[in-house]
Each structure stands twice: as structure tokens, then as C-alpha cells.
Amino acid sequence: VAQPGRPLRIEIEARAQVDDYYLIPAEDNGLLVLFNDRDNGDADIWSVYNYDTQLKQRWEKSLKFKRPFHYLGEAYENDKVHVLFVSLD
């Protein structure tokens, strides 16, 4: 999709140690941004942001896992995003 005029830009606050961001296109439902915002201790906290097609934030959620997980991949189908994680244990 071509963007007339200036390109759109978003900024997301994250801890300094966050290395990887995963961008998941969701067609007419915009975009998901996913990253591991590691907790201290044994847990992982994954932050998920949803943006509409104009890159306006719709919502933000945190997913807390009791043990470390690694992002493996995703699939978008029938207006749903499926994210696959794998345990590091």
C-alpha cells in the first residue's frame, strides 16, 4: 500500500535490553508489535501492541509466562493472529 505524503512512524518505549521486535501484519486490522520485555527472576513478560492501519495505537497488553519462552513464529488467518512460543527449559 503506497503512502502519500510523509511516512507514518510510531515510537514504543521499551527497556534498554530489548533486542528483538516482531512486527506482525494483520491486513485490515493493522499491525501487532511484539517484544520480550524480560522480567527479573524466572518469568518472561511479552508486550503486545496493536495499531490500526493509520498506526494509531488501539491497545496494549502484557503476557506473563512463569518460565522463559522464545518467539518461534506467527500466522494470521480469519482475522486472528496465532503466535507460537517455545519453552527454553
Side-chain angles (χ1 to χ4, degrees):
V1 174
Q3 295 179 357
R6 294 183 357 199
L8 298 175
R9 172 183 157 161
I10 58 174
E11 293 185 17
I12 300 170
E13 288 188 37
R15 294 183 190 177
Q17 68 267 29
V18 173
D19 293 326
D20 297 321
Y21 291 81
Y22 302 98
L23 305 177
I24 304 170
E27 297 175 2
D28 291 339
N29 292 310
L31 171 74
L32 289 177
V33 178
L34 176 73
F35 61 91
N36 189 332
D37 197 12
R38 298 193 189 283
D39 190 14
N40 54 6
D42 296 330
D44 266 3
I45 297 178
W46 285 82
S47 296
V48 183
Y49 294 82
N50 177 243
Y51 294 89
D52 66 15
T53 57
Q54 297 300 308
L55 296 183
K56 301 242 188 287
Q57 186 176 337
R58 287 184 181 158
W59 51 260
E60 169 188 351
K61 297 198 186 293
S62 292
L63 306 173
K64 186 170 185 176
F65 297 109
K66 293 184 179 184
R67 60 180 173 205
F69 278 86
H70 179 72
Y71 169 87
L72 193 60
E74 88 286 328
Y76 179 79
E77 183 178 348
N78 298 325
D79 292 334
K80 294 182 181 164
V81 174
H82 305 272
V83 181
L84 182 60
F85 294 95
V86 63
S87 173
L88 296 177
D89 291 342

